[in-house]
Amino acid sequence: MKKIIRGGTVVTASDTYQADVLIDQEKVIAIGESLDAEGAEIIDAAHCYLFPGGIDPHTHLSMPFGGTMTSDDFTTGTIAAAFGGTTSILDFCLSSKGQTLQEAIGIWHEKSRGKAVIDYGFHLMIAEANDAILEELGSVVEHEGITSLKVFMAYKNVLQADDETLFKTLIRAKEIGALVQVHAENGDVIDYLTQKAIAAGHTEPIYHALTRPPEAEGEATGRAIALTALADAQLYVVHVSCAQAVQRIAEAREKGWNIYGETCPQYLVLDIHELERPDFAGAKYVWSPPLREAWHQETLWSALASGILQTVGSDHCPFNFVGQKELGREDFRKIPNGGPIIEDRFGILFSEGVHAGRISLNQFVDVTSTKAAKLFGLFPKKGTIAIGSDADIVIFDPKATRVVSANTHHMNVDYNPFEGMKLQGDVVSVLSRGNFVIRERQYVGSTGAGQYLHRKRFARP
């Protein structure tokens, strides 16, 4: 059935204007004033913004970690994402040494098949870069449409790869049109500092942050950038948390190198002192990289506003406090790393970014949707409101307010790290390919309606 969204203000990364939007067959087919179509359903969006559906480029659903599993699967996680204004996610497919890439991808297809309520795709972790894996990457890009590859520089003896693996991946990515992502922390230094802390009897959550200093993130970011320049390739630094990493990215971009960066809402509004909460509550804020001193926040906001950083992902990696985070009560190393962010990414960026005057309305759209679409081979199908694009649209009331709480969120987790935060602006309705997933703040979607995203090869935006 055709739909006309009437009376709203369309906002893209480049334009803001009042117009009606006509939807048919999952696509936007017309944008203009006083549109009409026989039999069309009329959706009143007066006094609301029409945003392109959010694209979250960084999620971890049904992911094993530290002997447990993230608490959101592809159903609960994507429902929560939709409530928060996100209509597409890119999840991380883990691989391991001795496993073919296709075997790893098959596991993630099985985790997600028939479960997502919004569209989804995968990034692919590279654990080793032997000849067989490097050869297989060509078919992964061609047949699976997975055009982004992640290399971990941290989690020694678990996920961490060496520099040779990173360098070979960069070279191969250049050949096949893939974007390499790095978790940029110096895992060897962190391992040493962690062992030293434990030997001194320091087991509290705050030592998770104190053993992962910003200098270790800055160093790894700089090293990954240097290897990328040497390979003449392209690099995307995930979850940038500190000024030291921002500086390395800024210097590289000034030289014209093909370097991009992502930050996350938690680094923009929370700081290291959350890990000092009493009664082990600081464990709720254990993720990697860790929260930093508050002064880093303005550096990150400035980097978003100036274009040094291009995207905001959630790094949604939820574990319940009871029974999961509690695994590390006697040893911070055993606290599962990650937090529940997917539902509040969009709202925090609007409230603390646009409403607070740190970024413009168009920049908000760019960092929450458009740039991710361009970097990860989805534009213009996703990431904008334009004729021919998927009708992924968020109807957003900038005058409404809401208070973040675990009592009202839709993530399958028993706490919210932003508990009590009052946000200006709220999602009213969300359409994914022209179909309502959220309507008047109520879930009306269908499990399995989300489609797998076969993405285009990397092209410099």
Side-chain angles (χ1 to χ4, degrees), residues 119-135:
D119 293 351
Y120 65 97
F122 302 144
H123 307 295
L124 177 61
M125 171 193 164
I126 304 300
E128 58 183 339
N130 58 39
D131 290 346
I133 292 294
L134 294 173
E135 178 64 26

Side-chain angles (χ1 to χ4, degrees), residues 395-409:
I395 302 174
F396 189 90
D397 182 355
K399 300 296 185 183
T401 60
R402 72 178 180 94
V403 177
V404 179
S405 176
N407 292 327
T408 53
H409 74 203

Side-chain angles (χ1 to χ4, degrees), residues 115-435:
K115 293 182 179 179
V117 307
I118 58 175
D119 293 351
Y120 65 97
F122 302 144
H123 307 295
L124 177 61
M125 171 193 164
I126 304 300
E128 58 183 339
N130 58 39
D131 290 346
I133 292 294
L134 294 173
E135 178 64 26
E136 190 182 1
L137 277 173
S139 66
V140 166
V141 169
E142 179 69 26
H143 301 297
E144 292 284 347
I146 297 176
T147 54
S148 43
L149 314 171
K150 186 175 184 180
V151 178
F152 283 89
M153 301 175 77
Y155 300 111
K156 188 171 182 177
N157 300 321
V158 181
L159 298 172
Q160 183 177 330
D162 58 22
D163 287 353
E164 180 182 356
T165 297
L166 174 56
F167 189 57
K168 286 181 175 179
T169 302
L170 285 161
I171 291 172
R172 183 63 171 143
K174 173 73 172 182
E175 296 170 348
I176 60 177
L179 178 59
V180 177
Q181 304 166 290
V182 286
H183 176 132
E185 291 184 286
N186 189 314
D188 294 329
V189 169
I190 290 168
D191 184 64
Y192 170 79
L193 294 175
T194 300
Q195 292 185 41
K196 190 175 178 181
I198 292 295
H202 300 309
T203 61
E204 304 91 339
I206 186 62
Y207 283 93
H208 171 79
L210 297 179
T211 57
R212 305 180 86 101
E215 291 79 7
E217 183 181 345
E219 184 280 330
T221 302
R223 178 158 39 100
I225 288 171
L227 293 175
T228 303
L230 188 60
D232 189 27
Q234 49 275 346
L235 183 75
Y236 178 97
V237 184
V238 301
H239 50 44
V240 173
S241 73
C242 63
Q244 288 85 341
V246 169
Q247 180 181 350
R248 302 305 196 284
I249 294 169
E251 291 168 351
R253 290 182 61 81
E254 286 175 6
K255 295 174 182 176
W257 295 350
N258 218 354
I259 309 297
Y260 309 93
E262 160 201 289
T263 192
C264 308
Q266 52 270 42
Y267 303 120
L268 294 168
V269 299
L270 301 175
D271 67 57
I272 191 173
H273 299 294
E274 302 289 355
L275 285 90
E276 296 176 311
R277 291 189 176 212
D279 301 322
F280 195 63
K284 297 175 180 179
Y285 299 87
V286 167
W287 45 66
S288 301
L291 294 174
R292 307 300 188 186
E293 294 288 345
W295 66 266
H296 289 272
Q297 294 171 9
E298 287 308 314
T299 300
L300 295 171
W301 281 114
S302 296
L304 283 175
S306 66
I308 293 170
L309 298 178
Q310 289 72 44
T311 66
V312 177
S314 67
D315 194 9
H316 181 71
C317 192
F319 298 97
N320 285 303
F321 179 69
V322 176
Q324 290 189 301
K325 291 285 188 177
E326 287 181 331
L327 293 170
R329 271 196 177 274
E330 307 303 324
D331 184 345
F332 70 85
R333 296 174 299 176
K334 297 179 181 179
I335 302 171
N337 279 214
I341 316 290
I342 200 168
E343 188 168 351
D344 299 307
R345 178 188 74 109
F346 202 81
I348 288 173
L349 261 290
F350 181 87
S351 184
E352 297 300 311
V354 178
H355 181 68
R358 293 184 173 104
I359 59 174
S360 72
L361 202 56
N362 305 107
Q363 286 174 321
F364 165 78
V365 170
D366 203 29
V367 302
T368 60
S369 182
T370 308
K371 200 68 81 185
K374 291 179 176 180
L375 286 167
F376 296 111
L378 293 170
F379 191 83
K381 176 182 173 71
K382 307 288 189 184
T384 192
I385 298 175
I387 294 172
S389 296
D390 282 359
D392 294 349
I393 297 174
V394 177
I395 302 174
F396 189 90
D397 182 355
K399 300 296 185 183
T401 60
R402 72 178 180 94
V403 177
V404 179
S405 176
N407 292 327
T408 53
H409 74 203
H410 303 87
M411 298 175 286
N412 184 35
V413 66
D414 61 6
Y415 78 98
N416 193 302
F418 309 107
E419 186 74 35
M421 181 180 290
K422 185 176 181 179
L423 298 183
Q424 182 68 44
D426 193 21
V427 172
V428 176
S429 298
V430 177
L431 295 93
S432 172
R433 287 178 284 107
N435 299 304

